[in-house]
Amino acid sequence: MPPPILVTSRVPSSVLTRLEAVGEVDLAADGLTPEALRQRVAGKRALVCIVTDRVDAAVLEAGGDLEVVANIAVGYDNIDVPAATSRGTIVTNTPGVLTEATAELTWALILSVTRRVAEGDRLIRQHGWKGWALDFMLGMELGGKQLGIVGAGRIGRAVAARAPAFGMDVAFASRAGRQAPSDDETRMPLDQLLVTSDVVSLHVPMTPDTHHLVDRRALARMKRSAYLVNTARGPVVDEAALDWALEERLIAGAALDVYEREPEVHPGLLGRANVVLAPHLGSGTRETRTAMADLAARNVEAVLGGKPPLTPVIPVPPLGESS
Ligand code: GLV
């Protein structure tokens, strides 16, 4: 009997075909509630899931036959990895294939918030534009400014690689033990990065160490003229603290792609002109989403075929202040 596979999201037909070649696919094209996930996962040997699926101990218990949980995402904070590991279930993610798309979206946000693009768009649609003026809607120029990148993994580095095109200097704060991307790039403690950067962009995974990494204290360290960009995970930023910092004008603005309680956004942020809000689009290109789903399917194919997974998740080292 072909191994049963639960897929919790619509996937490209090429990916479905790949999965159908290795097992019996149960496709929940419109997603599943937590309760429905627990029910549908029973008896399955593989689960292909997305970031909004919480694969906790109860789901893993219900899916007692699961050999692999293949997350269509690079982040896997939605999965209880220790619980999976202790049951002998392999967890895989999709590193690499979404790096460039997420870096591009990060730059879209940096440019949008510093040059007030979304704010200007809203103004025009509300018939508020009265015409060109020398001092109208001025933003911050990027040339000669410091881009502070928190997290020197694949995505942080891809964001940094694009900085010279805008004449920005890059500084990294990253986890202890990680190498600086190259000798000619600057690495500094997080505190120093917050104090000296004109744009602070977050590229760390969600772990207990990074929960509310950007809190009131961190925001108060930033320049009043600086911008915060988050394309990592919502809970890395304390949204209430961010709302406070914006109210107190402790920073110039923020651009967010991720939120603490998606799809909800802190109500204080919704009314702020100097905040750009994107609906978790980091990896959202047709090319990348297809590649992500395909990599998840190839992980399932490998594990169910008795081979090692292509991209098993790796434990995350703690964030080192002094690195
Ligand atoms: C998306 O948020 C991902 O982690 O891939």
Side-chain angles (χ1 to χ4, degrees), residues 19-220:
L19 288 168
E20 282 168 349
V22 294
E24 180 78 35
V25 175
D26 175 9
L27 178 66
D30 296 321
L32 292 170
T33 62
E35 196 191 328
L37 176 58
R38 280 195 298 277
Q39 282 165 9
R40 291 268 280 267
V41 80
K44 300 296 190 310
R45 303 246 313 267
L47 169 64
V48 178
C49 56
I50 58 175
V51 281
T52 52
D53 295 315
R54 234 181 104 70
V55 182
D56 55 16
V59 169
L60 292 160
E61 170 83 32
D65 299 328
L66 282 175
E67 288 168 43
V68 57
V69 174
N71 210 28
I72 308 181
V74 69
Y76 45 86
D77 46 292
N78 57 315
I79 299 172
D80 187 338
V81 177
T85 307
S86 71
R87 306 187 66 91
T89 302
I90 291 166
V91 179
T92 67
N93 65 341
T94 61
V97 294
L98 48 71
T99 304
E100 310 304 323
T102 309
E104 287 179 6
L105 194 273
T106 303
W107 277 100
L109 291 180
I110 293 172
L111 290 162
S112 181
V113 72
T114 57
R115 297 304 303 274
R116 306 175 67 171
V117 178
E119 186 185 350
D121 179 281
R122 283 191 299 273
L123 184 81
I124 289 177
R125 289 171 200 274
Q126 290 156 8
H127 308 286
W129 186 33
K130 303 287 182 273
W132 196 94
L134 195 62
D135 57 355
F136 174 66
M137 222 177 232
L138 306 183
M140 182 188 80
E141 195 139 332
L142 296 180
K145 301 293 194 316
Q146 179 172 299
L147 171 61
I149 296 185
V150 183
R154 290 182 198 82
I155 297 171
R157 290 175 191 208
V159 172
R162 288 152 170 81
F166 296 98
M168 292 193 86
D169 301 318
V170 175
F172 285 96
S174 64
R175 269 172 260 128
R178 291 232 169 167
Q179 290 300 310
S182 73
D183 290 345
D184 59 353
E185 277 168 339
T186 310
R187 192 166 176 169
M188 57 179 65
L190 178 58
D191 254 16
Q192 189 185 343
L193 179 140
L194 292 169
V195 170
T196 56
S197 295
D198 301 290
V199 176
V200 173
S201 190
L202 306 175
H203 301 286
V204 289
M206 182 57 221
T207 68
D209 282 332
T210 60
H211 182 262
H212 285 187
L213 182 70
V214 178
D215 55 7
R216 275 188 177 223
R217 191 188 146 280
L219 289 157

